[in-house]
Amino acid sequence: MFKILEKEVFSPIIKLMVVEAPKVAKSCQAGQFIILRIHEEGERIPLTIADFDRERGTITIVFQEVGKTTVQLGRMEAGDYIKDFVGPLGEATHIEKLGNVLVVGGGVGVAPVHPIARALKEAGNHVIGIIGSRTKDLLFWEDKMRAACSELLVTTDDGSYVRKGFVTDVMKEVIEAKGKENIPLCIAIGPQPMMRACSNLTKEYGIKTIVSLNALMVDGTGMCGCCRVSVGGETKFVCVDGPDFDAHQVDWLELGRRGAYFRAEENKATEHHTCKCGGGK
Amino acid sequence: MTDTPKAKKEIKPTKNPMPAQDPLVRARNFSEVATGYTKEMAVDEAKRCMQCKKEPCRQGCPVEVYIPQFIKLVAEGNFPGAVAKLKEKNALPAVCGRVCPQEAQCEKYCTLGKKYEPVGIGRIERFCADWELNSGVTIPEVAPSTGFKVAVVGSGPAGLTCAADLAKLGHKVTVFEALHVAGGVLMYGIPEFRLPKAVVQAEVENLKKLGVEIEVNSVVGKFSTVDELMEEGGFDAVFIGTGAGLPYFMKIPGENLCGVYSANEFLTRTNLMKAYKFPDWDTPIKIGKKVAVLGGGNVAMDGARTALRLGADESWIVYRRSENELPARHEEVEHAHEEGVKFALLTSPVEIVADENGWVKGMKCIKYELGEPDASGRRSPVAIPGSEYVMDVDTVVVAIGQGPNPLVPRTTKGLECNKKGNIVADPATGATSKPGVYAGGDVVTGAATVILAMGAGKVGARSINEYLNSKKA
């Protein structure tokens, strides 16, 4: 059992938890993820590590409530216990000194991109951070990202905070201003459509781009292939070969379709849960 | 025993049949197919044993169970004695009694089998284990603590057997398991209807009573490496029993379509995550009306029978050789037939076909015929030109085999592996190229059987014990 030490509510649907998991905290690196199961009848879901504290033995996760498990997790409080919490899983993000690096976080993707930005800056890069969300209320960690990056740009889709526009609009301005040849690497994490849009943009400029793929997973240790994805025409398992991949090599259509395979069941699970709990309480 | 030579002549020629659920009823539920002997049946079957002095049956048992001895005790009605005798050698009798291919092991060598049906050794073993689980477990004696610590990586049949034997010798054993429950393939792979998960967990609990610690949610190679376990964790020796959990795919077009599962995913969702209880349990599984399972081994039979239980109208085994070459146990094939699984033999898929949404709508296959015997004596299948046709299926389960999971080999310095990625270990001792590190089971041999993995765990424990004793000297 893994104790929730702290909980922070960023918005009605985005929440942070600090979980006591010393074994994971001891060896995790930026870019890796954990899998958790909240109770005995629960499913295993992957969440990227948003922060860690080796001395305290804690892992920070940030999640968006999108279905039954995340909604149930969101109702848990500090002092509650998560049944299973395993990691670190996946390969760490490759960190090296390259010069300017564009680090883009969309929506809840700001959380996983944060430790990567920090590690890139610590490695001596000039990290240009761009974070964006649909609307002001869904934006979080502006302060932490400002500290983790060399400079930070913020946008909202609806213009309710700082400026109106997608992260790709800001990326385009930055690339034009700095010159594409001065940006050797871009890292983009967020919802699939956002990562795909970032990928399409940087492909035009020929800027190498790494994305962290969020495929469906079961075990997360390479034993089932549920998370498989075509990258450069080859089948890869996101859980062990990734989650980071070259965005320009990813078969986005296939990834999107596989991700939606259980949509009907996901809705059924949420409904079933809502009736059992009497209206989502 | 009071048997006289005269009594022996009256030996029943056939085994007491195993009570089982009706095939057409069981094909739609997840309850255990075989329901087990009653006391009377077990005693009656045990009396068929001739108590041969040479004990030929024992040479067929990879974990060296004292077969005639425990059977004699059953015949006398001494069930506690029989269980104790059985458990001197076998840490997981309820599992072995159910899933061992006895026809190729102990029962193959039974003297009675030369003229009649062999003694139902597996069925009697299962009876004993179940009797104990129902009537309270006695814990075998454990030697005084030696002060040595051993790490066992993986809690499948190899790791659990190794852990039990080492604990009985007085070593402190910690088992590291990547998943959230112990048992390996016994929990995620073999279906509930062949091996109830409650039975596996009861046997795991028995091991804990020996002092074995099991740390679930612990992926060795990720949270810690084998080297770190030895250098920082204070472990004096390590046994690697990580199995063959890496699914192979056919590498044909369409394999990443929605509706294509590896057998591992299909069975893990169903068995470990209990997707058949969805939505009361949270993990979903989705199958269509017509399911094709590719392969002919036990895993394929498990997949095809599971598909029926999940509600498929048709469940097909698609295999490129003929029925005679099916690698699955005869009994499993028979059960599959009885339950209504269909067989497309001498058939192999060449492409999985998609609908406009990227979901499976069919499978292009080619027919085969058997050609000349190859070097191994097996007649190799040859494709018949122009025989392609599209099979009408909407779900495909790939069960063509598994390789060793690379996480531990990849992160352990100085551990020699072969080209297939299996750990190289001496079959007689389990010793690897790395001092103090032993390995056994599927990670060494490639995908094999539960009982062979248990045998390897036993060998590993014996060698580790010798290694530790030599350290002490």
Side-chain angles (χ1 to χ4, degrees):
Chain A
M1 301 283 272
F2 298 81
K3 192 175 186 179
I4 301 168
L5 298 180
E6 293 165 36
K7 178 183 179 184
E8 210 175 313
V9 177
F10 290 140
S11 79
I13 55 163
I14 299 179
K15 291 165 188 177
L16 169 148
M17 281 174 181
V18 177
V19 180
E20 192 170 47
K23 258 197 316 203
V24 188
K26 176 182 150 270
S27 55
C28 69
Q29 300 291 341
Q32 292 186 298
F33 65 95
I34 57 96
I35 282 195
L36 63 78
R37 195 172 72 120
I38 52 183
H39 53 63
E40 188 56 37
E41 292 82 32
E43 61 181 337
R44 296 167 64 96
I45 62 159
L47 289 170
T48 314
I49 295 169
D51 206 348
F52 50 88
D53 184 332
R54 299 207 202 282
E55 274 170 32
R56 233 179 130 203
T58 61
I59 295 290
T60 301
I61 50 171
V62 176
F63 57 94
Q64 185 169 344
E65 295 182 3
V66 292
K68 179 178 175 179
T69 298
T70 44
V71 167
Q72 270 187 312
L73 182 63
R75 278 201 211 107
M76 295 172 80
E77 299 295 339
D80 289 344
Y81 287 84
I82 295 170
K83 183 122 184 27
D84 301 295
F85 194 92
V86 56
L89 300 170
E91 290 291 317
T93 300
H94 177 71
I95 303 289
E96 63 176 319
K97 190 179 172 182
L98 293 161
N100 290 317
V101 181
L102 206 50
V103 173
V104 188
V108 77
V110 170
V113 99
H114 161 261
I116 298 171
R118 186 173 60 192
L120 284 165
K121 192 176 162 196
E122 279 167 6
N125 291 287
H126 181 82
V127 177
I128 308 159
I130 301 172
I131 58 173
S133 66
R134 278 205 319 271
T135 182
K136 184 187 175 190
D137 294 345
L138 298 177
L139 198 75
F140 62 93
W141 272 14
E142 186 185 345
D143 51 339
K144 283 192 80 154
M145 279 301 281
R146 209 167 283 288
C149 300
S150 314
E151 51 182 300
L152 184 74
L153 300 155
V154 181
T155 183
T156 45
D157 296 0
D158 64 357
S160 53
Y161 185 63
V162 185
R163 60 164 284 173
K164 184 179 164 76
F166 298 121
V167 287
T168 41
D169 298 329
V170 184
M171 284 168 74
K172 199 166 179 172
E173 289 168 17
V174 170
I175 296 166
E176 292 291 345
K178 297 260 177 194
K180 61 183 178 188
E181 61 287 350
N182 297 320
I183 303 176
L185 178 69
C186 170
I187 292 180
I189 306 181
Q192 252 176 53
M194 167 258 175
M195 289 194 286
R196 195 174 175 179
C198 294
S199 171
N200 288 341
L201 178 75
T202 56
K203 202 172 180 177
E204 278 175 39
Y205 288 106
I207 297 171
K208 185 182 172 185
T209 299
I210 300 296
V211 284
S212 177
L213 297 184
N214 43 2
L216 296 182
M217 286 185 193
V218 183
D219 63 286
T221 62
M223 61 168 261
C224 84
C226 173
C227 64
R228 64 197 189 277
V229 59
S230 300
V231 180
E234 263 183 70
T235 294
K236 299 281 182 189
F237 289 5
V238 172
C239 72
V240 288
D241 300 316
D244 289 0
F245 291 100
D246 180 342
H248 302 154
Q249 302 289 317
V250 170
D251 183 337
W252 292 97
L253 180 64
E254 180 188 280
L255 183 73
R257 282 171 166 171
R258 288 187 62 83
Y261 182 56
F262 289 106
R263 191 62 47 79
E265 285 72 20
E266 284 160 12
N267 293 337
K268 190 174 169 189
T270 307
E271 265 169 46
H272 182 76
H273 177 61
T274 314
C275 352
K276 274 211 306 200
C277 298
K281 178 76 185 89
Chain B
M1 295 259 297
T2 53
D3 279 6
T4 60
K6 195 181 165 214
K8 277 182 193 165
K9 275 183 197 161
E10 289 162 18
I11 275 171
K12 275 181 25 183
T14 54
K15 277 187 209 178
N16 277 290
M18 186 63 146
Q21 284 194 70
D22 178 79
L24 296 176
V25 173
R26 74 182 190 231
R28 298 284 164 179
N29 70 46
F30 276 87
S31 304
E32 199 172 8
V33 165
T35 47
Y37 276 171
T38 60
K39 274 183 197 175
E40 293 70 30
M41 289 175 196
V43 171
D44 191 55
E45 184 64 27
K47 284 181 177 161
R48 291 182 67 228
C49 174
M50 301 195 299
Q51 292 294 318
C52 314
K53 286 246 159 48
K54 286 190 174 166
E55 315 179 329
C57 49
R58 286 193 67 204
Q59 65 177 280
C61 177
V63 296
E64 310 150 353
V65 166
Y66 297 115
I67 294 169
Q69 291 85 339
F70 95 82
I71 289 185
K72 182 164 188 276
L73 291 161
V74 174
E76 291 165 356
N78 180 355
F79 305 136
V83 172
K85 186 51 76 180
L86 188 51
K87 287 175 83 174
E88 278 180 35
K89 289 290 185 182
N90 189 346
L92 308 168
V95 172
C96 290
R98 287 174 165 82
V99 304
C100 276
Q102 287 102 5
E103 71 278 10
Q105 296 180 325
C106 53
E107 294 180 20
K108 180 179 171 182
Y109 298 96
C110 174
T111 309
L112 209 55
K114 288 183 180 144
K115 207 166 168 189
Y116 310 112
E117 276 187 9
V119 175
I121 300 169
R123 295 171 184 184
I124 303 173
E125 176 181 36
R126 169 184 162 156
F127 167 80
C128 290
D130 287 358
W131 178 86
E132 188 195 29
L133 292 176
N134 290 327
S135 52
V137 171
T138 36
I139 300 126
E141 236 170 86
V142 172
S145 170
T146 61
F148 285 116
K149 279 172 71 182
V150 183
V152 171
V153 185
S155 68
L160 290 180
T161 304
C162 185
D165 281 13
L166 287 168
K168 279 194 248 175
L169 293 164
H171 305 302
K172 180 82 202 110
V173 184
T174 308
V175 181
F176 296 99
E177 166 57 46
L179 289 170
H180 56 264
V181 290
V185 75
L186 308 175
M187 288 303 289
Y188 73 76
I190 302 174
E192 180 80 20
F193 56 83
R194 282 216 287 136
L195 180 63
K197 301 309 145 213
V199 169
V200 180
Q201 287 311 301
E203 299 231 280
V204 170
E205 288 306 312
N206 290 347
L207 295 193
K208 287 189 190 163
K209 289 175 189 148
L210 293 173
V212 173
E213 264 182 44
I214 301 182
E215 291 199 20
V216 295
N217 295 315
S218 301
V219 188
V220 173
K222 287 292 177 188
F223 86 92
S224 188
T225 63
V226 168
D227 291 289
E228 285 165 352
L229 287 176
M230 296 181 86
E231 285 155 24
E232 298 160 25
F235 288 99
D236 301 289
V238 177
F239 178 82
I240 303 172
T242 47
L246 177 77
Y248 289 147
F249 286 91
M250 301 275 295
K251 297 193 188 270
I252 56 174
E255 231 167 358
N256 291 351
L257 294 173
C258 292
V260 183
Y261 297 91
S262 73
N264 271 8
E265 182 187 351
F266 192 69
L267 293 172
T268 299
R269 282 183 182 273
T270 314
N271 300 322
L272 179 72
M273 306 309 297
K274 302 211 187 313
Y276 63 92
K277 293 185 179 172
F278 179 87
D280 288 333
W281 287 58
D282 293 342
T283 303
I285 193 158
K286 190 204 232 23
I287 64 162
K289 300 230 170 296
K290 295 180 182 183
V291 179
V293 180
L294 314 183
N298 287 324
V299 175
M301 298 306 141
D302 286 345
R305 296 171 69 194
T306 296
L308 285 179
R309 285 161 171 82
L310 290 171
D313 290 344
E314 284 179 25
S315 177
W316 289 86
I317 288 282
V318 180
Y319 179 59
R320 67 191 185 123
R321 290 186 159 97
S322 73
E323 175 129 11
N324 289 331
E325 287 83 21
L326 283 168
R329 280 182 76 185
H330 178 69
E331 185 184 275
E332 302 307 326
V333 177
E334 206 169 87
H335 280 159
H337 274 299
E338 285 168 8
E339 291 169 11
V341 170
K342 298 178 179 186
F343 287 72
L345 298 167
L346 292 163
T347 302
S348 188
V350 290
E351 184 184 346
I352 302 167
V353 189
D355 69 8
E356 64 282 7
N357 299 315
W359 288 27
V360 175
K361 73 160 188 189
M363 188 166 70
K364 197 174 177 190
C365 296
I366 189 162
K367 299 290 285 178
Y368 275 70
E369 59 190 349
L370 287 183
E372 293 302 310
D374 61 14
S376 70
R378 279 214 301 189
R379 294 178 65 191
S380 46
V382 184
I384 304 169
S387 66
E388 289 92 344
Y389 72 105
V390 174
M391 200 174 167
D392 178 22
V393 295
D394 49 18
T395 307
V396 177
V397 177
V398 185
I400 57 163
Q402 296 102 235
N405 190 306
L407 273 182
V408 169
R410 213 187 263 169
T411 55
T412 309
K413 281 175 283 174
L415 188 67
E416 196 192 327
C417 294
N418 68 16
K419 273 185 200 155
K420 286 182 174 171
N422 294 104
I423 296 175
V424 177
D426 182 341
T429 63
T432 69
S433 56
K434 206 174 160 69
V437 178
Y438 295 77
D442 285 3
V443 75
V444 172
T445 56
T449 61
V450 168
I451 191 70
L452 283 174
M454 290 176 62
K458 226 171 196 7
V459 167
R462 197 175 290 154
S463 307
I464 288 171
N465 186 49
E466 282 166 18
Y467 168 77
L468 294 175
N469 287 337
S470 74
K471 270 179 95 170
K472 198 160 42 180

